[in-house]
């Protein structure tokens, strides 16, 4: 149970935890890979990335060929 005032961490098997795990990979994750893994719609997946940024996660965008790939960057 979280302590009062602490933000709950994503459950070990939640979709948010899956997204973070995919972003930690050396190759990162494309939007299509994230959509496929979570069964979310594209706008929901992009909103989840925005939510992770707002929670303090640095998410970098890079290119894998012609496709945008997202990576979990260094946190400040």
């Amino acid at each position: 149970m979280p302590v009062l005032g602490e933000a709950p961490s994503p459950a070990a098997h939640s979709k948010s935890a899956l997204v973070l795990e995919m972003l930690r990979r050396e190759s990162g994750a494309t939007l299509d890979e994230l959509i496929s893994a979570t069964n979310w719609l594209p706008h929901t997946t992009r909103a989840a990335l925005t939510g992770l940024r707002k929670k303090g996660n640095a998410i970098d965008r890079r290119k894998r060929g012609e496709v945008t790939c997202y990576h979990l960057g260094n946190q400040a």
Side-chain angles (χ1 to χ4, degrees), residues 19-71:
V19 169
L20 284 171
E21 181 181 321
M22 292 177 73
L23 295 176
R24 286 186 183 105
R25 299 183 307 191
E26 186 175 325
S27 62
T30 65
L31 188 63
D32 286 340
E33 290 170 344
L34 294 169
I35 291 167
S36 178
T38 60
N39 291 318
W40 287 336
L41 295 172
H43 68 276
T44 305
T45 307
R46 288 188 295 272
L49 292 173
T50 299
L52 289 171
R53 283 187 186 104
K54 287 183 178 183
K55 290 180 182 177
N57 294 290
I59 298 175
D60 299 330
R61 282 187 295 184
R62 302 177 191 164
K63 288 286 189 175
R64 191 190 303 162
E66 294 294 317
V67 179
T68 299
C69 190
Y70 299 92
H71 295 262

